[in-house]
Amino acid sequence: MYHKTLPYRIFSIFNYILLGVIAIACLLPLYHLLMVSLSSSAAANAGLVTFWPIGFTFEAYTKTFNNINFLTSLWVSVKRTLIGTALGLVVNSIAAYALSKETHVFRGRNAYLWYFVITMLFSGGLIPSYILILKLGLMNHLAALILPGLVAVYNMILLLNFFRTVPKELEEAAFIDGAGYLRSFVSIFLPVSLPVIATIALFTMVGHWNSYFDGLIYIKSSEKLPLASLMQTIIVQGNTTSFDPAVIANMSQRTLRASQIFIGALPILIAYPFLQRFFVKGIVIGAVKE
Amino acid sequence: MEQIMNPDVNLKVNRTAKKKKRTRVPWVLHLMVLPAVLLVFVFSYVPMSGIIMAFQDYKAPLGITGSPFVGLKHFQYMFENDYFMKITWNTVLFACSKIVLNLIIPFTFALLLNEVRHMGYKRSIQTLVYLPHFLSWVTLGGILIDLLAQTGIVNQFLTYLFGIKPIFFLGDGTWFRLTIIFSDVWKEFGFNTIIFLAALAGINPALYEAAEVDGASRIKQTLYITIPSLVPILIVVATLALGNVLNANFDQIFNLYSPMIYQQGDIIDTFVYREGLLSGQFSFATAVSLFKSVISLILIVISYRMAYRFAGYRIF
């Protein structure tokens, strides 16, 4: 037994330590930021904060939550995430169900499939999409953040591949009982594939929560700006576009920024344990083929 | 028996059977894909037609139908432009470094993690290293800006340990490139590890048992069983990555770069954004992005064919 030999034991000890250090190092940046956000701004500005808060205070969080722009953006993000995920699930799963049928049952299936896959391979790019939103009059509408990405072809294929693994006998039994396609989809395929659908729902939610660029270019008024876009403007643009000493000196913003970054990431951190359980499954599902 | 004898009942059964059949007409299936088809048409195919702009001098008041055609003018300008060559090089450099490191590091990490026999520890490590994958580049960008600032914690440590002057991580071209590449590895290596871990779990334990009986050491087992078993999946991942040679990650660069390091840090996607949406050079920006799309398309088609030929990989 190799794992009882001395050299392997020594290797094992080093291995455990190395992996542990790497894992902790992955999270240290986030942890450090949390500590900064909980420190007094004087300590943060002086660069005294490392691994624990100095002059512990919730001041930055109170300030952030008293900021009306921050709250409205938070609400916009919640709205877009919920509506976008719900609509996306309906549209994608129902299409995936139809496309999971054999070619002799659903003629035209392959044509549809290619019609969707082509959009994964090639796109019109940023400028034509921007002009389209402009021409459709969707500028400054929540719809501009939801509709363009609603059909997620990758998720659709993931679902399609899973639907194909559902035993045909289940559906045939339903057909004999007089069920139609829609009924079979709702009463058989949806319940059986709930874990996959949950996985895709979580991924879609994370995607919506994190996406900032569409908000940046399509939303003009601050009360409709999603949180990620707002954060992009105050945290990143407020920093990289101005490297002048005045801004760097004015570091009282530091704890405030740290708290905003942390609040922005919080829903993901909360959803993460659930995500983590599902997403390994999700990837394995993607690999399932006939 | 009686029922079958009775022609009336028989007829009735037949009719209901027909009716049942009619509840499954094929147009229902067409109807089910219809919403997705329409959305894709409007938001993917209509923009594709906008590519015509790359061959025009697009003026907003004239629209796509009214703007004058100028042939390949924008493409000619693009290829004669030194700056365009520079950002193409930056893009390829970023993308290729990330592709290579994001194969080697997750591969090694998966091998090491595979040696951990304590399941709880293994799972905890996995959970921790996957986390950055789910955070957005806005969040990570914000964190990096704070961490790597001249008064940030990284520079404080470096000064403390080596007594060197603060490094301008995001303001110096070379350091910027290193920051981009390694922060991407930080975000993604844990996630990419899963693929290899899944492949490792699929190796037939009988192989190891046989090797054990033959007295092979763990190093020999790794060299002659584990690594060869992972080669097919490694080839698939590597060939599929080929399609990303021009994808240097817009979100990451966009949230970390600044005008002072454009020469070393600007990439095609960020250039398209600035030229198109900030400077209003719609046609030129479309031409640049069309160039990128076409090259990417060719690479993707090649990579999928290769993955299919070498490893029988198909997406559906």
Side-chain angles (χ1 to χ4, degrees):
Chain A
M1 295 303 273
Y2 67 84
H3 54 267
K4 294 227 170 90
T5 62
L6 184 65
Y8 187 79
R9 281 189 171 177
I10 295 172
F11 159 77
S12 219
I13 291 167
F14 276 112
N15 193 29
Y16 273 66
I17 295 172
L18 176 73
L19 293 177
V21 168
I22 293 176
I24 291 169
C26 275
L27 291 194
L28 266 188
L30 198 65
Y31 175 78
H32 169 70
L33 199 83
L34 177 63
M35 294 303 113
V36 169
S37 72
L38 292 171
S39 300
S40 71
S41 49
N45 295 348
L48 298 175
V49 185
T50 43
F51 298 126
W52 45 87
I54 309 283
F56 183 86
T57 170
F58 278 115
E59 199 195 328
Y61 289 90
T62 346
K63 262 192 199 161
T64 301
F65 276 112
N66 280 329
N67 181 344
I68 188 75
N69 277 341
F70 190 84
L71 291 180
T72 43
S73 288
L74 192 69
W75 173 236
V76 173
S77 272
V78 169
K79 239 181 358 188
R80 90 170 270 186
T81 303
L82 293 182
I83 299 174
T85 307
L87 281 180
L89 279 183
V90 172
V91 170
N92 288 321
S93 64
I94 206 165
Y97 168 76
L99 294 173
S100 72
K101 296 281 156 273
E102 301 288 332
T103 320
H104 64 84
V105 179
F106 183 22
R107 291 176 56 128
R109 167 190 179 268
N110 285 342
Y112 280 121
L113 215 47
W114 276 109
Y115 174 84
F116 290 120
V117 169
I118 285 171
T119 63
M120 283 174 96
L121 302 176
F122 192 77
S123 77
L126 176 67
I127 311 299
S129 307
Y130 178 83
I131 291 177
L132 176 74
I133 297 292
L134 204 67
K135 290 267 149 79
L136 289 176
L138 289 179
M139 227 33 146
N140 219 8
H141 276 287
L142 192 66
L145 308 180
I146 293 174
L147 294 180
L150 202 60
V151 178
V153 180
Y154 184 78
N155 289 345
M156 205 193 265
I157 290 175
L158 226 62
L159 273 172
L160 181 164
N161 280 335
F162 185 81
F163 285 158
R164 281 208 225 167
T165 64
V166 175
K168 283 198 178 62
E169 289 76 12
L170 277 179
E171 186 169 49
E172 273 159 19
F175 285 159
I176 287 168
D177 290 345
Y181 286 117
L182 194 63
R183 186 59 189 271
S184 155
F185 168 68
V186 174
S187 313
I188 297 174
F189 280 75
L190 281 189
V192 210
S193 39
L194 221 50
V196 198
I197 290 177
T199 313
I200 290 176
L202 282 168
F203 273 91
T204 315
M205 287 170 103
V206 172
H208 268 293
W209 186 264
N210 280 346
S211 87
Y212 68 95
F213 188 65
D214 44 5
L216 225 52
I217 60 176
Y218 298 143
I219 303 298
K220 305 294 176 201
S221 54
S222 64
E223 75 272 13
K224 288 179 180 170
L225 200 65
L227 189 62
S229 313
L230 178 77
M231 280 179 39
Q232 211 279 337
T233 52
I234 55 182
I235 296 164
V236 181
Q237 285 182 20
N239 214 300
T240 49
T241 49
S242 50
F243 264 112
D244 61 297
V247 171
I248 295 171
N250 180 20
M251 287 283 279
S252 62
Q253 297 272 316
R254 191 174 175 210
T255 53
L256 212 57
R257 275 207 311 266
S259 73
Q260 284 160 342
I261 291 172
F262 201 77
I263 297 168
L266 201 61
I268 306 285
L269 297 178
I270 293 171
Y272 181 63
F274 305 100
L275 273 171
Q276 206 256 342
R277 192 177 319 154
F278 283 127
F279 83 87
V280 175
K281 218 180 276 169
I283 286 182
V284 177
I285 293 155
V288 172
K289 269 154 238 134
E290 267 184 289
Chain B
M1 281 305 263
E2 224 179 339
Q3 280 188 348
I4 292 167
M5 290 305 200
N6 187 338
D8 220 38
V9 174
N10 212 349
L11 209 72
K12 217 172 180 179
V13 170
N14 254 335
R15 206 181 300 140
T16 41
K18 251 186 194 163
K19 216 174 179 181
K20 269 170 197 163
K21 191 113 195 161
R22 215 176 298 145
T23 55
R24 281 194 290 126
V25 280
W27 60 259
V28 176
L29 292 173
H30 289 278
L31 213 61
M32 285 171 133
V33 283
L34 188 66
V37 167
L38 289 179
L39 279 166
V40 164
F41 180 77
V42 174
F43 292 102
S44 296
Y45 283 94
V46 171
M48 277 187 212
S49 69
I51 284 168
I52 300 173
M53 283 164 53
F55 306 96
Q56 293 176 330
D57 258 335
Y58 179 81
K59 302 269 189 311
L62 300 174
I64 289 182
T65 42
S67 295
F69 276 90
V70 293
L72 296 175
K73 183 182 121 184
H74 299 295
F75 292 92
Q76 199 182 349
Y77 175 69
M78 185 168 92
F79 288 118
E80 285 166 0
N81 190 332
D82 279 346
Y83 190 71
F84 174 74
M85 292 299 156
K86 209 165 260 170
I87 58 168
T88 307
W89 166 242
N90 288 345
T91 307
V92 174
L93 180 78
F94 283 138
C96 289
S97 319
K98 287 175 185 174
I99 288 171
V100 171
L101 287 178
N102 275 330
L103 277 176
I104 296 172
I105 293 176
F107 187 83
T108 319
F109 195 78
L111 284 181
L112 291 179
L113 204 56
N114 196 41
E115 297 301 318
V116 172
R117 301 170 66 86
H118 190 283
M119 285 320 276
Y121 192 71
K122 190 174 176 177
R123 187 148 298 187
S124 316
I125 299 276
Q126 285 182 40
T127 308
L128 293 180
V129 298
Y130 297 157
L131 179 61
H133 171 81
F134 292 97
L135 300 174
S136 75
W137 272 114
V138 174
T139 303
L140 294 180
I143 294 177
L144 284 174
I145 289 168
D146 186 276
L147 236 56
L148 300 175
Q150 289 199 286
T151 52
I153 189 150
V154 173
N155 271 321
Q156 275 185 41
F157 265 108
L158 290 177
T159 313
Y160 177 75
L161 288 178
F162 305 110
I164 52 172
K165 271 195 236 161
I167 295 169
F168 213 179
F169 283 102
L170 297 173
D172 175 85
T174 312
W175 283 109
F176 180 79
R177 282 181 173 172
L178 289 172
T179 308
I180 290 295
I181 292 164
F182 285 98
S183 61
D184 188 78
V185 171
W186 166 47
K187 186 178 194 281
E188 302 298 345
F189 87 92
F191 194 76
N192 296 341
T193 304
I194 311 173
I195 301 167
F196 295 120
L197 278 180
L200 279 168
I203 298 174
N204 187 354
L207 293 173
Y208 291 112
E209 283 158 22
E212 202 104 303
V213 171
D214 291 344
S217 67
R218 189 59 177 168
I219 295 177
K220 287 240 160 98
Q221 290 179 22
T222 306
L223 281 179
Y224 297 114
I225 300 172
T226 314
I227 293 179
S229 311
L230 290 184
V231 167
I233 188 82
L234 194 66
I235 291 176
V236 170
V237 177
T239 40
L240 294 185
L242 190 65
N244 281 326
V245 165
L246 288 184
N247 278 330
N249 197 342
F250 174 86
D251 290 334
Q252 184 194 20
I253 307 280
F254 184 66
N255 284 308
L256 290 172
Y257 81 159
S258 59
M260 65 203 289
I261 41 86
Y262 277 173
Q263 296 287 328
Q264 288 90 8
D266 199 11
I267 56 169
I268 296 178
D269 291 330
T270 45
F271 180 69
V272 168
Y273 164 72
R274 290 200 319 275
E275 281 298 306
L277 296 190
L278 299 187
S279 310
Q281 303 288 326
F282 281 173
S283 283
F284 178 59
T286 307
V288 175
S289 104
L290 177 62
F291 166 79
K292 188 201 150 188
S293 299
V294 169
I295 303 284
S296 292
L297 176 66
I298 294 170
L299 290 173
I300 291 170
V301 171
I302 293 173
S303 71
Y304 271 79
R305 292 210 143 195
M306 273 163 64
Y308 181 61
R309 180 162 299 174
F310 294 144
Y313 176 89
R314 288 193 317 161
I315 52 163
F316 61 86

